[in-house]
């Protein structure tokens, strides 16, 4: 590997959410979706060059910004994006809120596949809408892979108050990378019942070897015309703090309404560093990303071996994409919140409770860190479960 993902980068005392919100300095954070890796060299150099200019006034994006987006998605995902279909904003969560405010009326229902990213719930409610959940299922077939309950999904689409389906693609927290066939079926059912699709694709580049990400809007004209796609280099290239994201929408009327919502909600102005980081990511950092995905696969494999040896009672969900591992802890007979609290207080390791995402009995573990750090965190987790008698050591 050309890049050193084993490097320990000290992040504590840098006003870092992941590390500096820990209740004490001896906690290993494996919670929020934030990587502990140094960014690709091209991104750091681009930001340093922009910083050297010394003036940081109001910022617009130039032609090179749109060209970088178009080139990246064309060559990497065979998705041709028209320049006029791109709207930029400060982040994917603000983009979700703007899309919902533009495409729904208060009191309508927004469909989600649960468990799902916790900000979906707040964004829907903040838009004056009602969350409508279609629970994913995990068949007991030894694969530990979540699937859509199609009968329930269609029934929820058919609800006369359902107007938008908010999709997470790839899916956080179950790690699914939806197939083209699954996405086509989603859109077919949504079209049948007059439901628009808003697809959050922020994790689109974080895909395990052997799987392929499919942009929703690139499947067909029907998918393109019935969708709004939200993406950003922030997760894939570890630049969330630079606050840059894009909304891709081919429908001119929807796009006009979304653009209006972006301005009404004052998320139209980006900082000077986000655009230059995006250009450097998409134009010069592809090899870094490919090596990152290989390293994350190595971390996931190491986690699976650890659980098989130390905690075989707790099934590990198959990870197809993202760097967030979904662990089934229902056999411990504790609520997710209680388990997470015990791990934090007694084990000094911080993971996320499944209740945040709408499913008790699971925890989410962030493995985007140097492998030695991950193994230390997993060791603390297992030691706590053994010490408290929740799991008997082999």
């Amino acid at each position: 590997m050309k890049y050193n993902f084993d490097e320990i980068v000290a992040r504590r005392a840098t006003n870092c959410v992941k590390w500096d919100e820990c209740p004490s300095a001896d906690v290993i954070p494996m919670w929020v979706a934030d990587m502990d890796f140094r960014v690709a060299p091209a991104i750091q150099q681009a930001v340093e060059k922009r910083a050297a200019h010394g003036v940081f006034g109001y910022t617009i994006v130039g032609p090179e910004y749109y060209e970088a987006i178009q080139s990246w998605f064309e060559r990497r995902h065979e998705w041709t994006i028209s320049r006029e279909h791109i709207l930029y904003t400060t982040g994917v969560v603000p983009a979700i809120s703007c899309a919902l405010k533009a495409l729904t009326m208060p009191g309508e229902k927004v469909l989600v596949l649960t468990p799902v990213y916790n900000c979906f719930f707040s964004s829907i409610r903040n838009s004056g809408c009602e969350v409508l959940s279609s629970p994913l299922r995990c068949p007991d077939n030894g694969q530990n892979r979540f699937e859509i309950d199609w009968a329930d999904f269609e029934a929820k689409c058919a609800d006369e108050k359902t107007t938008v389906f908010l999709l997470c693609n790839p899916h956080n927290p179950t790690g699914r990378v939806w197939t083209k066939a699954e996405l086509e079926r989603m859109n077919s059912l949504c079209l049948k019942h007059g439901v628009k699709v808003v697809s959050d694709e922020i994790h689109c580049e974080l895909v395990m070897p052997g799987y392929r990400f499919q942009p929703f809007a690139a499947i067909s004209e029907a998918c393109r015309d019935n969708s709004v796609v939200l993406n950003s280099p922030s997760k894939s290239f570890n630049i969330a703090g630079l606050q840059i994201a894009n909304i891709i929408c081919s429908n001119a009327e929807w796009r006009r309404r979304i653009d209006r919502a972006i301005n009404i909600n004052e998320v139209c102005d980006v900082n000077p560093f986000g655009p230059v980081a995006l250009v450097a990511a998409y134009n010069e950092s592809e090899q870094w990303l490919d090596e990152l995905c290989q390293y994350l696969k190595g971390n996931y494999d190491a986690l699976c071996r650890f659980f098989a040896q130390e905690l075989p009672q707790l099934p590990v969900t198959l990870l197809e994409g993202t760097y967030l591992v979904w662990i089934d802890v229902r056999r411990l007979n504790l609520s997710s919140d209680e388990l997470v609290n015990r791990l934090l207080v007694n084990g000094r390791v911080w993971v996320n409770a499944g209740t945040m995402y709408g499913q008790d009995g699971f925890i989410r573990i962030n493995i985007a860190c140097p492998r030695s750090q991950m193994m230390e965190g997993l060791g603390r987790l297992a030691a706590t479960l053994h010490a408290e008698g929740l799991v008997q050591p082999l």
Side-chain angles (χ1 to χ4, degrees):
M1 276 192 167
K2 179 179 177 181
Y3 303 101
N4 181 18
F5 295 104
D6 287 318
E7 178 190 6
I8 301 294
V9 180
R11 302 187 66 193
R12 205 180 297 279
T14 63
N15 294 322
C16 166
V17 168
K18 183 177 184 179
W19 287 84
D20 291 331
E21 285 196 1
C22 291
S24 63
D26 59 345
V27 170
I28 293 180
M30 303 181 78
W31 62 297
V32 66
D34 178 329
M35 297 193 287
D36 287 322
F37 306 123
R38 197 181 300 277
V39 298
I43 297 174
Q44 185 165 348
Q45 290 161 13
V47 170
E48 289 173 350
K49 180 179 178 181
R50 180 65 185 86
H53 181 260
V55 180
F56 312 117
Y58 296 118
T59 298
I60 61 172
V61 303
E64 70 282 357
Y65 179 88
Y66 299 102
E67 291 165 3
I69 295 168
Q70 292 171 300
S71 174
W72 177 268
F73 284 100
E74 179 70 48
R75 71 177 187 270
R76 192 155 178 108
H77 300 296
E78 299 178 353
W79 180 17
T80 301
I81 302 173
S82 298
R83 153 70 185 86
E84 62 270 19
H85 294 174
I86 303 171
L87 300 171
Y88 63 83
T89 185
T90 56
V92 165
V93 172
I96 292 171
S97 293
C98 289
L100 292 180
K101 286 180 172 66
L103 301 179
T104 65
M105 294 292 289
E108 293 179 345
K109 295 180 181 179
V110 176
L111 177 61
V112 296
L113 298 171
T114 51
V116 76
Y117 177 44
N118 54 296
C119 285
F120 277 21
F121 302 118
S122 57
S123 293
I124 292 168
R125 295 183 182 118
N126 290 341
S127 298
C129 294
E130 180 182 338
V131 176
L132 183 61
S133 297
S134 180
L136 296 170
R137 60 187 184 183
C138 190
D140 187 16
N141 57 13
Q143 292 186 336
N144 296 329
R145 182 175 185 262
F146 280 74
E147 298 176 356
I148 296 169
D149 182 336
W150 291 107
D152 183 76
F153 181 82
E154 180 166 13
K156 301 294 172 59
C157 285
D159 186 319
E160 64 180 9
K161 293 183 70 176
T162 304
T163 55
V164 167
F165 166 43
L166 182 53
L167 169 66
C168 196
N169 175 37
H171 192 265
N172 169 17
T174 69
R176 276 302 315 277
V177 174
W178 304 114
T179 66
K180 182 179 180 181
E182 288 172 317
L183 295 169
E184 285 180 312
R185 190 171 180 181
M186 293 176 196
N187 193 58
S188 177
L189 293 172
C190 285
L191 283 173
K192 179 180 176 180
H193 298 288
V195 176
K196 305 175 185 69
V197 179
V198 175
S199 184
D200 172 0
E201 301 185 356
I202 195 170
H203 290 278
C204 67
E205 308 304 341
L206 298 165
V207 175
M208 295 294 102
Y211 296 92
R212 178 178 175 81
F213 165 73
Q214 174 62 59
F216 191 92
I219 296 171
S220 64
E221 287 187 11
C223 288
R224 180 197 66 196
D225 294 344
N226 192 46
S227 67
V228 176
V229 171
L230 319 174
N231 58 39
S232 169
S234 61
K235 294 297 183 195
S236 305
F237 293 95
N238 204 26
I239 55 172
L242 299 184
Q243 298 184 316
I244 192 72
N246 296 290
I247 301 170
I248 317 297
C249 179
S250 67
N251 185 302
E253 175 57 21
W254 295 1
R255 194 168 61 250
R256 183 193 67 78
R257 287 153 58 183
I258 293 169
D259 191 35
R260 181 66 179 148
I262 290 172
N263 283 271
I264 289 172
N265 291 280
E266 310 292 359
V267 287
C268 51
D269 292 323
V270 296
N271 72 70
F273 301 104
V276 298
L278 178 145
V279 171
Y282 286 161
N283 287 353
E284 302 178 72
S285 305
E286 195 161 1
Q287 182 181 351
W288 182 92
L289 176 66
D290 290 339
E291 290 194 14
L292 167 69
C293 289
Q294 290 287 342
Y295 189 86
L296 293 173
K297 177 61 164 63
N299 273 4
Y300 174 66
D301 289 344
L303 178 144
C304 288
R305 289 192 297 270
F306 181 89
F307 270 80
Q309 295 167 5
E310 300 292 335
L311 300 167
Q313 304 90 339
L314 306 182
V316 177
T317 300
L318 178 65
L319 187 68
E320 299 175 349
T322 82
Y323 48 70
L324 306 163
V325 184
W326 195 234
I327 307 291
D328 186 345
V329 295
R330 288 173 291 185
R331 296 180 189 178
L332 301 182
N333 295 316
L334 283 179
S335 72
S336 297
D337 291 322
E338 173 62 22
L339 175 59
V340 167
N341 185 63
R342 290 196 192 186
L343 291 173
L344 180 59
V345 173
N346 301 330
R348 319 311 288 164
V349 60
W350 191 358
V351 300
N352 286 124
T355 47
M356 291 179 61
Y357 313 101
Q359 187 172 34
D360 199 5
F362 286 78
I363 58 174
R364 193 189 77 167
I365 300 177
N366 177 352
I367 62 169
C369 60
R371 196 159 300 152
S372 61
Q373 180 179 306
M374 181 190 76
M375 296 309 297
E376 171 65 20
L378 295 180
R380 293 184 184 191
L381 185 152
T384 303
L385 297 184
H386 292 156
E388 301 204 1
L390 296 170
V391 172
Q392 295 302 317
L394 296 180

